[in-house]
Amino acid sequence: MKVLSLRLGLGKKHPRMAPAEALQTVYQVEAGCLTPLALCRPEAKDVVLLLDERLKEEQKVLFHPLRNDRSVVISTGSLEAYLSKIGRQGTYVDFQKKDFKLGKDNPPDLKPLLDAAQAYELGGDGAGDSKKGGKKAKGGKKGDQGSKGGALPAGDDVHALLREIQESLAPGQQMEAKVSKDLESRLNAFKNIAYTRGYKAARAEIRAHLN
């Protein structure tokens, strides 16, 4: 990760995993479901795709079709054809490179990709400074979430949603155990239905782009 940071021109800053908000806003997927196939989303038009150079050596690769309980087998050539169909292109990078030394005669080789990328502003309701929104979501007081403008829990985190509902009740009120169990069961059912519909839609979309 340190070498990649140098090659991107980030200095001492390191790349990090995208927050759940970015996954849902940009790619419309849940955590653990993100693959290059999600670049078909219009909101992902400014995302820069870096692919491991070793993928070229593989005849077949497996990707999640926008949900992580299924996988599709595809050749590297077919992946490139898919990206071309949606007007995208990946850059193959040697992530195994360990001897990169930054210097006057050796500038960050991946920095042009970063400079050409458009930054996404996330956080809050989209108004105001994104850094302020992110800070509020991370450091807000208990009860500042949900309807008060803070960050919402991940769409598939049923227990987090139940906690938010409980916290939104008036002080002293407590959800009955039977009601809580029934609500949890219904939310899980809705989640499973959403996953199934999302998988079918993604599969049809992928087939349409490959045909």
Side-chain angles (χ1 to χ4, degrees), residues 2 10 19 23 41 103 133 140 153 157 166-167 170 177 184 193 207:
K2 181 179 179 180
L10 296 176
L23 296 180
R41 304 299 196 194
D157 193 339
Q166 179 61 54
E167 291 171 359
E184 179 181 356
I193 292 172
R207 284 178 173 174

Side-chain angles (χ1 to χ4, degrees), residues 78-96:
S78 294
L79 173 62
E80 293 174 352
Y82 168 77
L83 293 173
S84 178
K85 284 255 188 179
I86 61 175
R88 304 304 306 274
Q89 183 179 2
T91 300
Y92 286 96
V93 176
D94 180 9
F95 289 114
Q96 301 303 305

Side-chain angles (χ1 to χ4, degrees), residues 42-58:
E43 292 81 1
K45 62 182 177 64
D46 294 317
V47 172
V48 175
L49 175 62
L50 302 182
L51 296 169
D52 195 320
E53 195 174 64
R54 292 176 297 174
L55 287 176
K56 292 181 178 180
E57 303 171 4
E58 303 295 332

Side-chain angles (χ1 to χ4, degrees), residues 62-81:
L62 283 81
F63 291 113
H64 291 315
L66 311 188
R67 55 178 292 177
N68 60 12
D69 59 348
R70 298 286 189 277
S71 294
V72 294
V73 181
I74 188 173
S75 68
T76 305
S78 294
L79 173 62
E80 293 174 352

Side-chain angles (χ1 to χ4, degrees), residues 132-172:
K132 291 181 180 179
K135 186 174 181 181
K136 181 178 180 181
K138 183 177 179 180
K141 296 180 180 180
K142 187 176 181 181
D144 284 347
Q145 296 182 346
S147 60
K148 294 187 179 181
L152 294 173
D156 63 347
D157 193 339
V158 171
H159 294 290
L161 184 55
L162 284 172
R163 285 195 299 272
E164 184 190 343
I165 293 173
Q166 179 61 54
E167 291 171 359
S168 69
L169 298 178

Side-chain angles (χ1 to χ4, degrees), residues 19 26 28 31 43 47 59-60 65 69 80 84 107 113 140 171 190:
V26 180
Q28 290 94 62
E43 292 81 1
V47 172
Q59 292 185 349
K60 301 288 184 181
D69 59 348
E80 293 174 352
S84 178
L113 295 173
F190 288 141

